[in-house]
Amino acid sequence: MAELGQEVVQLVWGKKPGSHGLADTIFCRWAQGSAPPRAPFLGRVVQQDIPPPPYILATRVPTPSCFPTWGFVFSESESTALEQFEGGPCAVIAPVQAFLLKKLLTCEKSTWRQCEDGIIIQIRWHSTARYIVHSKKLFLLSSNISEEEQKNILCHTLCDILDLASSDNSESYCLATWQRGKTAEETANISESPAESSCQEEQPSALAVEELGFERFHALIHKQSFTSFPDFKDAVWNQYSDWTNKFGVLLFLYSVILTKGIENIKNEIEDSTEPLIDPVYGHGSQSLINLLLTGHAVSNVWDGDRECSGMKLLGIHKQATVGFLTLMESLRYCKVGSYLKSPKFPIWILGSETHLTVFFAKDLALVAPEAPSEQARRVFQTFDPEDNGFIPDTLLEDVMKALDLVSDPEYVNLMKTKLDPEGLGIILLGPFLQEFFPEQDSKVQESFPVYHYNGLKQSNYNEKVMYVEGTAVIMGFEDPMLQTDDTPVKRCLQTKWPYVELLWTTDRSPSLN
């Protein structure tokens, strides 16, 4: 990866990565390698300088079967839920989990069972089976899928995200992979037998994973390009052992970046000097989250582009597959647009100050096509970048044209007089919607089952990563007698459903952190 490694490293980690600018703990957290039980290491590592010499071990390196599974790892308690060991990589793991759930909810044969007329197919998860009704068909989600099914669903998910990141009208895909030949050669003298040497050549990511540092990691990966999607898909499947071992999350992140293109990302990020991963605290930027959710590394969450003091600020340009809601909106730090609030599937990334989790439901009616009033609200707000709730009356004609309303000058002037009877020179959003789109608010079910996912063990009940099930109740008004709680999860969801109440099946509400 030497020919473009520096550009990628600076884009991800900033201009001073490595031992002099990036805390070892941050890199370790993103490597997903500090929480699981560690294999005993009895050897000695030679002190590394820059450039680092090859690692020299005094004892044999454990074979891959000796290592715990790192990278993208499924929970033992919920076999379709990914685990996150420490803070940081949720910016990648949570979007992958969301797209994985999308695969499940669209009834992938490997993970869903279906039958007509309500006949339930009982499979492995007998005592606590979860059922999903969709289009008069009943679906049963197995919570004990096989390792082969886990492999298929994860690889399908990674392909979907990488395909989303691929440039428009482009069939170019890239993977960040280990330089297998180089790695095998450098470590051939370590193993105790030819069999072990062969095993290491097949799985270089198992090479002293506890001691592989920042510089050495980047020296041992390279870019692999594909112009055929079938070939690319086969490579993703063949690289499954790399995705599920230490550095698997970083290898996937780098694959997304290389597929998208470094220059394309720099052109979309608002401040190209800001890295995708904060080098001090280790959290992923909004640009990174948007890149994984939408394929575009824009820094903002509103709909469309906005002008501010002569600067063009890029936003989201079409309905996302998976949505995004943030606690920061409830604190009035930002406002998420409808393209992320109303995605194609009822799955949302929930953002707190420090972490990302996933909230999802089974009812596709929650993401029904955009109602005319919702479209009108979205278009109106694009002309109101500061979210004042009004626009200058001089922009009314532009708004009406954007909504394909009658926009003859005489009619526009008539509407100005009607919508601004006091002659203040402004058009309020409420009267505008009432005039052109009366009583066209979207209808949402009063209650529906919901689920919440948090990949951190310590944030889950009994420290088991499992989906927390509950019921969401949508009220038409605020009723103090019916308020259930005031948790961060609820405040985050209220940015989409202002009067939502949540009833969870567990003793405590799920954590947003």
Side-chain angles (χ1 to χ4, degrees):
M1 205 166 179
E3 72 279 4
L4 46 79
Q6 194 63 23
E7 283 188 288
V8 174
V9 169
Q10 290 185 5
L11 180 64
V12 176
W13 305 102
K15 291 187 176 181
K16 294 183 179 180
S19 58
H20 297 289
L22 180 70
D24 291 338
T25 54
I26 292 178
F27 180 67
C28 188
R29 277 154 47 189
W30 274 86
Q32 278 274 90
S34 56
R38 302 184 179 186
F41 179 73
L42 304 176
R44 178 176 62 88
V45 178
V46 172
Q47 180 68 35
Q48 79 168 335
D49 298 312
I50 299 176
Y55 287 94
I56 303 174
L57 307 182
T59 59
R60 84 174 183 88
V61 177
T63 60
S65 61
C66 299
F67 281 95
T69 302
W70 295 327
F72 292 108
V73 54
F74 287 97
S75 168
E76 294 181 355
S77 304
E78 190 88 69
S79 63
T80 59
L82 297 171
E83 279 195 24
Q84 178 185 339
F85 301 140
E86 293 192 51
C90 60
V92 173
I93 294 175
V96 170
Q97 177 68 52
F99 275 86
L100 188 149
L101 288 167
K102 188 266 292 186
K103 275 292 181 185
L104 293 174
L105 291 173
T106 51
C107 310
E108 280 291 321
K109 293 182 179 179
S110 60
T111 50
W112 293 80
R113 304 293 184 267
Q114 72 177 53
C115 55
E116 300 286 352
D117 302 324
I119 301 174
I120 301 172
I121 301 175
Q122 291 290 347
I123 54 177
R124 305 179 186 91
W125 192 18
H126 297 292
S127 60
T128 56
R130 297 176 184 173
Y131 304 96
I132 290 182
V133 178
H134 172 53
S135 301
K136 297 182 180 180
K137 295 181 180 180
L138 186 64
F139 298 95
L140 175 62
L141 171 60
S142 165
S143 182
N144 189 25
I145 64 175
S146 67
E147 291 184 7
E148 185 63 26
E149 288 173 322
Q150 287 179 333
K151 175 180 179 179
N152 287 333
I153 192 66
L154 178 61
C155 290
H156 271 298
T157 300
L158 301 185
C159 279
D160 284 351
I161 297 176
L162 286 163
D163 191 35
L164 190 64
S166 181
S167 300
D168 296 337
N169 301 319
S170 171
E171 293 187 357
S172 176
Y173 308 92
C174 298
L175 292 179
T177 62
W178 295 103
Q179 296 185 34
R180 298 181 183 273
K182 180 178 179 181
T183 307
E185 178 183 347
E186 290 179 347
T187 58
N189 60 339
I190 298 174
S191 60
E192 295 180 345
S193 68
E196 288 174 3
S197 176
S198 175
C199 184
Q200 289 171 353
E201 184 173 354
E202 294 176 359
Q203 183 59 280
S205 59
L207 297 172
V209 290
E210 288 300 318
E211 304 299 332
L212 192 59
F214 184 90
E215 289 87 357
R216 197 72 188 126
F217 165 74
H218 289 92
L220 292 177
I221 57 176
H222 74 123
K223 173 183 176 181
Q224 190 175 2
S225 301
F226 304 86
T227 56
S228 165
F229 185 78
D231 292 343
F232 163 73
K233 185 177 178 181
D234 289 342
V236 171
W237 255 257
N238 293 336
Q239 200 169 318
Y240 177 73
S241 60
D242 290 341
W243 306 132
T244 55
N245 274 282
K246 188 177 179 183
F247 303 111
V249 172
L250 283 176
L251 287 175
F252 175 68
L253 169 59
Y254 282 30
S255 298
V256 172
I257 291 171
L258 293 172
T259 296
K260 173 68 178 180
I262 296 173
E263 288 303 317
N264 291 331
I265 293 177
K266 288 182 178 180
N267 291 335
E268 292 177 346
I269 293 179
E270 198 164 287
D271 184 357
S272 60
T273 63
E274 291 293 325
L276 295 178
I277 297 175
D278 185 271
V280 177
Y281 300 104
H283 61 257
S285 68
Q286 188 64 49
S287 295
L288 173 56
I289 298 168
N290 287 344
L291 173 60
L292 293 167
L293 292 183
T294 69
H296 297 280
V298 296
S299 303
N300 304 297
V301 292
W302 56 60
D303 295 333
D305 301 335
R306 296 185 179 182
E307 293 284 341
C308 182
S309 301
M311 294 178 57
K312 186 176 182 180
L313 306 179
L314 303 181
I316 309 299
H317 280 264
K318 63 180 181 180
Q319 185 184 28
T321 301
V322 168
F324 178 78
L325 304 173
T326 173
L327 189 62
M328 295 298 100
E329 181 171 351
S330 71
L331 300 174
R332 299 186 180 276
Y333 284 111
C334 68
K335 187 173 180 62
V336 179
S338 62
Y339 284 147
L340 286 174
K341 276 188 180 175
S342 302
K344 296 177 183 178
F345 293 89
I347 305 168
W348 292 265
I349 301 289
L350 302 185
S352 73
E353 306 94 325
T354 59
H355 190 42
L356 296 176
T357 59
V358 182
F359 176 86
F360 63 103
K362 304 176 291 188
D363 185 10
L364 292 178
L366 296 175
V367 288
E370 189 177 43
S373 60
E374 293 172 331
Q375 180 190 16
R377 181 184 298 272
R378 174 174 54 78
V379 171
F380 189 98
Q381 289 175 338
T382 61
F383 290 87
D384 177 23
E386 297 181 359
D387 198 29
N388 294 315
F390 64 84
I391 59 172
D393 61 0
T394 54
L395 295 178
L396 179 60
E397 182 178 354
D398 295 332
V399 173
M400 295 174 69
K401 285 182 179 179
L403 291 169
D404 291 328
L405 299 173
V406 176
S407 55
D408 293 337
E410 293 183 1
Y411 182 69
V412 172
N413 289 331
L414 178 64
M415 286 298 100
K416 285 182 182 180
T417 302
K418 185 174 182 179
L419 297 174
D420 181 23
E422 298 180 1
L424 299 176
I426 61 173
I427 305 296
L428 296 174
L429 173 61
F432 175 83
L433 294 177
Q434 188 60 36
E435 174 66 30
F436 294 104
F437 304 92
E439 299 180 359
Q440 290 191 6
D441 291 335
S442 58
K443 296 181 180 180
V444 178
Q445 288 189 15
E446 292 183 357
S447 66
F448 47 90
V450 294
Y451 304 88
H452 182 263
Y453 155 87
N454 190 326
L456 288 171
K457 268 188 176 182
Q458 59 268 33
S459 299
N460 282 265
Y461 183 69
N462 290 333
E463 295 194 348
K464 294 182 178 180
V465 177
M466 299 181 67
Y467 304 132
V468 180
E469 186 174 357
T471 300
V473 181
I474 304 297
M475 311 294 294
F477 53 90
E478 186 175 7
D479 187 346
M481 299 296 294
L482 295 176
Q483 288 185 354
T484 54
D485 56 30
D486 187 31
T487 61
V489 172
K490 177 181 170 182
R491 294 200 300 272
C492 189
L493 295 176
Q494 283 176 330
T495 62
K496 178 172 175 62
W497 299 290
Y499 305 119
V500 66
E501 296 296 336
L502 298 168
L503 303 170
W504 300 102
T505 58
T506 52
D507 294 335
R508 68 179 188 184
S509 298
S511 173
L512 206 58
N513 292 310

